Amino acid sequence: MDEIKRYLEFGHFDMFPLIGTFRKRDRFWQDDVAKSKQEQPCRQIIIAIHNAVKSDAAEIFDLQSPYRLVLKNHRHNAKDSTIYGHTFCMAFFDKIHAARTVSRLFASFAEVRSSCQAGFMVGMMATPLLSLPTDIWSLGYILGVRECDPEHIEYRQKVDRDLGSHLHGDRHRLKESSKAEEILSRITHSQSLSVSSEYLEAMNKSMDEMRTAFHSHIIQRTLKSTDWEDNPISGLRPYHEHLIIRSLFKFEEKALEDVTRELADNDAAKKAGDLFIAKGKVSS
């Protein structure tokens, strides 16, 4: 939470951490957020961890069908006590790649857009990872990219089936051609490899389609990126830095003394030390 303060004017925003499971904070919205000093909702920032969002979704929704969450009949009254009972002008998802597969977290994130009517959605990620076209499609579904909306679910399923089919076919052809050992040997010895693969061709085709779909939605931050004042973003000093000075334990002191003594007793270390001292005397 400290880092975000770098970009907010002091006294003009209230921030509320949403953590833990629903059962441990069922009065969060009534007791904490409702007492905010900021009357305008756009000045109230809810910082929710992934598990908190997932817990809220599990409390009121049936998560069996991740694309169409159904509100549990007996939990209608509890919706206002979850994140899904409130409207937000924008939603930011940090580490959104954690929801790249169709899972409960994926369903929980996707429902934020529909239930909370968050029109402005931002997904942030900086972790390099091996992605499938369907992974990227899932992120687009969460964020509301048009080519990844509910009407295109069949496209995602088709890509999944096609990639699986092509991968199976490649493996079968490789086994039949008796080239498996040769290919493995070339990979092991870092030699060039040229193998015809229907799977890779299908993968490249689907990835190109995803890149086209996301073309106008991506902002990439690099080492040369700057903020609104044209100052470099990379290399910013920590917002808060706490230095902790503590004494060593007795066993730590003894361990350091033993290491120092061993180095001093080492002949090579002695010679290096003598040489260093001799050079110092000559140069002075």
Side-chain angles (χ1 to χ4, degrees):
M1 288 181 61
D2 283 340
E3 186 66 22
I4 195 175
K5 294 177 183 177
R6 189 194 300 273
Y7 307 99
L8 303 177
E9 187 173 354
F10 181 78
H12 287 70
F13 295 88
D14 279 347
M15 292 186 294
F16 302 93
L18 184 66
I19 59 178
T21 61
F22 171 83
R23 298 301 175 93
K24 293 181 179 179
R25 48 163 173 78
D26 58 339
R27 297 286 304 174
F28 170 80
W29 299 95
Q30 296 90 333
D31 295 343
D32 296 334
V33 180
K35 298 177 182 178
S36 171
K37 296 179 181 179
Q38 304 297 333
E39 295 182 0
Q40 300 180 35
C42 63
R43 294 187 179 274
Q44 299 171 358
I45 300 175
I46 311 299
I47 302 179
I49 64 173
H50 288 188
N51 284 340
V53 178
K54 188 164 61 173
S55 175
D56 277 8
E59 184 67 28
I60 62 173
F61 292 116
D62 181 354
L63 301 178
Q64 296 301 315
S65 178
Y67 297 112
R68 296 179 180 84
L69 298 190
V70 178
L71 192 63
K72 296 177 181 177
N73 291 330
H74 63 291
R75 300 303 289 159
H76 281 269
N77 295 334
K79 187 175 182 180
D80 288 344
S81 296
T82 71
I83 197 171
Y84 301 101
H86 303 270
T87 301
F88 300 95
C89 58
M90 60 184 68
F92 292 80
F93 297 94
D94 193 18
K95 297 180 175 61
I96 193 173
H97 58 269
R100 66 187 183 276
T101 59
V102 179
S103 60
R104 288 194 170 191
L105 185 62
F106 162 83
S108 304
F109 279 10
E111 191 62 27
V112 169
R113 177 164 51 89
S114 54
S115 285
C116 304
Q117 301 175 14
F120 190 73
M121 309 278 286
V122 177
M124 299 181 292
M125 57 185 293
T127 306
L129 70 158
L130 182 63
S131 297
L132 295 171
T134 48
D135 294 341
I136 300 175
W137 187 94
S138 296
L139 302 186
Y141 182 89
I142 293 172
L143 298 174
V145 175
R146 184 171 57 84
E147 290 81 357
C148 306
D149 62 19
E151 296 180 2
H152 294 81
I153 292 176
E154 290 185 3
Y155 167 81
R156 184 200 187 283
Q157 295 170 338
K158 180 179 183 301
V159 170
D160 214 6
R161 289 194 303 269
D162 289 349
L163 289 177
S165 175
H166 289 309
L167 182 60
H168 177 76
D170 282 352
R171 287 173 175 170
H172 180 72
R173 283 188 296 275
L174 184 62
K175 184 178 180 180
E176 292 295 319
S177 65
S178 302
K179 290 185 177 181
E181 292 185 4
E182 177 188 347
I183 292 173
L184 181 60
S185 176
R186 297 184 72 86
I187 294 175
T188 304
H189 294 87
S190 301
Q191 297 175 344
S192 61
L193 182 66
S194 178
V195 180
S196 175
S197 170
E198 292 184 2
Y199 174 79
L200 291 180
E201 291 178 5
M203 173 74 77
N204 290 334
K205 178 178 179 295
S206 298
M207 278 297 190
D208 285 341
E209 292 171 350
M210 285 292 96
R211 288 192 182 98
T212 301
F214 275 79
H215 178 69
S216 60
H217 301 279
I218 295 293
I219 299 176
Q220 184 177 9
R221 198 182 88 172
T222 68
L223 291 175
K224 297 182 180 180
S225 297
T226 58
D227 62 14
W228 67 94
E229 294 179 337
D230 206 31
N231 296 318
I233 295 176
S234 180
L236 285 176
R237 295 181 60 186
Y239 186 82
H240 276 314
E241 186 175 23
H242 300 281
L243 299 179
I244 301 176
I245 301 176
R246 56 181 295 274
S247 301
L248 296 176
F249 289 109
K250 292 296 182 182
F251 73 88
E252 292 175 321
E253 292 179 355
K254 185 178 184 305
L256 288 176
E257 289 175 0
D258 292 342
V259 170
T260 304
R261 191 177 298 107
E262 288 177 7
L263 289 174
D265 292 341
N266 186 285
D267 290 338
K270 277 186 177 181
K271 291 178 181 178
D274 293 341
L275 182 60
F276 177 80
I277 294 173
K279 285 186 175 181
K281 288 180 178 178
V282 171
S283 61
S284 61

